[in-house]
């Protein structure tokens, strides 16, 4: 098969563009809710620095303290937002190969904020970190197809690992197998949606179906790498719908961008495997 | 292939293997996670095996110099997200932080004495959080309460989980 997904530089650009949208949204949200970053907030550095000895005192603490305390930490968030915007602009201009420095900035700032506090982070932050740290290595040596390919394979493999792990963890829990967890998840204020929660509380069959509509595709997601074209698109369509539903029903708005950003890498790896390993 | 290419590929392979091992139960994965403070080894088991099925409620009260304990006051009462939260959800991270802190406090409390869990990081975070909220006039100490209510529509009866020690306020 030929298409944009066989060009590693194009694939990288698309991954970076999609992931940067999520990073930009997340950064702007953090700037608006910046009170949480203060000493009295739930993302307080003053408390979180106590998580390890080397963060609480010593040379590393002295190095990080000026950057992590409030309001200086807002500069990290602002720079991250600006870098994400730059990446999006370069991708739209068809010049993603120039985005090396902003990619490195996003990777470093994601790592910094995850180091600053262990609270309040989620899967979207984790996947974004994986994407940006990995792809920043591809900019270290310009136009190196071998390194870029390795990076794209890594991202595809991480994506498959994430779905498989999540699916198997759900499969191991009886509440997921029976579907009994689902109405309660959608009944919470934090992740729920009242109309859906009410419906699922009333219908055990619907809750059961909803659970297995997530468990089966997650557990089997890895087959996306081996299914023949165009059937390999089915798991990705499921993924897109799943993350869109999570965004609308659970407010997990940045998950969509972070995880769908990995799909171009999956198509790239699928094509490489089809050409090199599997019979057509 | 050059040395640099081999090195980067080996590094990515090692990173992926660490991530794969990191998804195993803690007794197997704790060694690879030991030095990972920034999340390079992600945790991919979202909402599993036990997902969030409850809302946490966080309350506090003060003790005044007149010997009065004030009424419990709730901080950031849980409520349904606004309709636009699928695009813009700035409260998400703070709600998650409260959820994370509450979950870890519950784990710490289970089977340990108060002296241990009252020094845990999430406990200190919640205490700091409460300390920065407005207090009653002549308050000399404060106390917080963690409660939980099940995820369902209609009336809910929150269940008390953890009551903190009484902590003096800096006047």
């Amino acid at each position: 098969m030929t298409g944009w997904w066989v060009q590693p530089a194009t694939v990288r650009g698309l991954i970076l563009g999609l992931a940067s949208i999520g990073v930009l949204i997340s950064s702007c949200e953090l700037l608006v809710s910046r009170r949480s970053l203060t000493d009295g907030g739930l993302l307080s550095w003053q408390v979180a620095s106590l998580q390890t000895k080397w963060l609480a005192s010593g040379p590393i603490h002295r190095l990080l303290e000026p950057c992590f305390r409030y309001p200086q930490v807002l500069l990290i968030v602002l720079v991250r937002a600006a870098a994400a915007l730059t990446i999006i602009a370069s991708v739209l201009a068809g010049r993603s190969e120039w985005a090396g420095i902003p990619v490195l900035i996003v990777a470093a700032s994601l790592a910094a904020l995850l180091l600053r506090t262990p609270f309040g982070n989620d899967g979207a932050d984790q996947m974004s970190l994986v994407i940006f740290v990995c792809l920043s290595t591809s900019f270290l040596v310009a136009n190196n197809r071998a390194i870029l390919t390795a990076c794209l394979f890594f991202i595809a493999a991480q994506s498959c690992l994430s779905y498989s792990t999540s699916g198997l963890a759900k499969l191991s829990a009886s509440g997921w197998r029976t579907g009994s967890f689902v109405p309660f998840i959608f009944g919470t204020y934090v992740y729920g949606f009242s109309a859906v929660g009410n419906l699922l509380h009333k219908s055990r069959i619907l809750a059961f179906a909803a659970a297995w509509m997530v468990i089966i595709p997650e557990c089997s997601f890895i087959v996306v790498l081996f299914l023949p074209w165009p059937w390999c698109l089915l798991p990705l369509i499921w993924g897109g719908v799943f993350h869109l539903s999570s965004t609308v029903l659970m407010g997990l708005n940045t998950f969509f961008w972070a995880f769908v950003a990995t799909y171009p890498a999956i198509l790239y790896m699928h094509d490489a495997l089809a050409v090199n390993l599997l019979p057509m | 292939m050059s040395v640099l290419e081999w090195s980067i590929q080996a590094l990515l392979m090692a990173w992926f293997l660490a991530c794969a091992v990191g998804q195993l139960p803690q007794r197997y994965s704790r060694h690879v996670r030991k030095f990972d403070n920034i999340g390079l080894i992600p945790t991919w088991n979202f909402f599993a095996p036990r997902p969030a099925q409850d809302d946490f409620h966080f309350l506090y009260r003060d003790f005044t110099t007149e010997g009065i304990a004030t009424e419990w006051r709730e901080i950031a009462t849980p409520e349904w997200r606004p309709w636009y939260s699928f695009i813009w959800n700035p409260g998400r991270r703070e709600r998650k932080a409260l959820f994370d802190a509450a979950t870890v406090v519950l784990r710490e409390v289970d089977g340990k004495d108060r002296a241990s869990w009252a020094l845990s990081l999430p406990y200190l975070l919640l205490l700091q959080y409460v300390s920065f909220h407005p207090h009653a006039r002549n308050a000399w100490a404060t106390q917080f309460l963690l409660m939980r209510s099940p995820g369902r529509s209609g009336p809910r009866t929150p269940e008390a989980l953890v009551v903190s020690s009484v902590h003096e306020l800096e006047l």
Side-chain angles (χ1 to χ4, degrees), chain B:
Chain B
M1 215 177 277
S2 70
V3 171
L4 181 65
E5 286 168 356
W6 273 112
S7 304
I8 289 177
Q9 290 183 23
L11 194 65
L12 289 173
M13 182 77 85
W15 184 9
F16 182 77
L17 282 173
C19 291
V21 171
Q23 306 314 310
L24 298 172
Q26 207 197 6
R27 62 183 177 276
Y28 306 114
S29 66
R30 64 176 190 269
H31 299 295
V32 296
R33 290 187 180 281
K34 208 169 156 187
F35 300 106
D36 178 31
N37 281 90
I38 61 172
L40 280 175
I41 300 175
T43 305
W44 293 135
N45 54 322
F46 310 126
F47 292 92
R50 247 195 112 68
Q53 299 174 78
D54 309 292
D55 287 301
F56 286 108
H57 301 264
F58 190 59
L59 302 90
Y60 74 102
R61 67 176 176 181
D62 298 324
F63 296 86
T64 67
T65 49
E66 288 92 11
I68 297 168
T70 64
E71 294 284 315
W72 289 105
R73 271 183 283 186
E74 185 164 11
I75 298 175
T77 308
E79 56 190 17
W80 295 113
R81 296 186 309 281
W83 66 268
Y84 51 78
S85 63
F86 68 101
I87 303 172
W88 180 249
N89 194 3
R92 169 179 60 92
R93 206 170 282 280
E94 201 167 40
R95 283 192 295 271
K96 177 73 170 36
L98 180 60
F99 179 84
D100 290 342
T103 305
V104 180
V105 163
L106 287 177
R107 228 173 20 232
E108 293 285 328
V109 161
D110 189 23
K112 286 189 190 156
D113 60 270
R114 182 178 283 268
S116 293
W117 54 261
L119 287 175
S120 65
L121 192 69
Y123 184 98
L124 294 174
L125 180 70
L126 294 175
L127 180 59
Q128 174 99 334
Y129 184 53
V130 158
S131 304
F132 274 76
H133 275 76
H135 294 276
R137 212 158 54 93
N138 299 331
W140 68 274
T142 191
Q143 184 179 42
F144 68 78
L145 166 66
L146 201 51
M147 303 184 82
R148 145 176 91 189
S149 61
R152 59 161 64 99
S153 57
R156 305 178 181 203
T157 308
E159 167 201 359
L161 298 171
V162 175
V163 182
S164 76
S165 304
V166 175
H167 294 277
E168 281 187 37
L169 292 163
E170 243 180 37
L171 295 170

Side-chain angles (χ1 to χ4, degrees), chain A residues 14 45 64 66 68 71-72 75 107-108 110 112-113 130 139-140 182 185 212 221 238 244 248 263 265:
Chain A
L14 198 51
W45 160 244
L64 297 176
F68 284 0
Q72 287 89 318
L75 193 59
L110 280 166
L113 291 174
V130 163
F139 285 96
L140 287 177
V182 183
I185 296 170
W212 283 96
F221 190 83
W238 168 84
L244 198 56
V248 172
Y263 292 2

Side-chain angles (χ1 to χ4, degrees), chain A residues 186 238-252 256:
Chain A
F186 283 99
W238 168 84
V241 170
F242 170 66
H243 288 297
L244 198 56
S245 307
S246 305
T247 295
V248 172
L249 299 177
M250 302 177 78
L252 298 173
F256 176 83

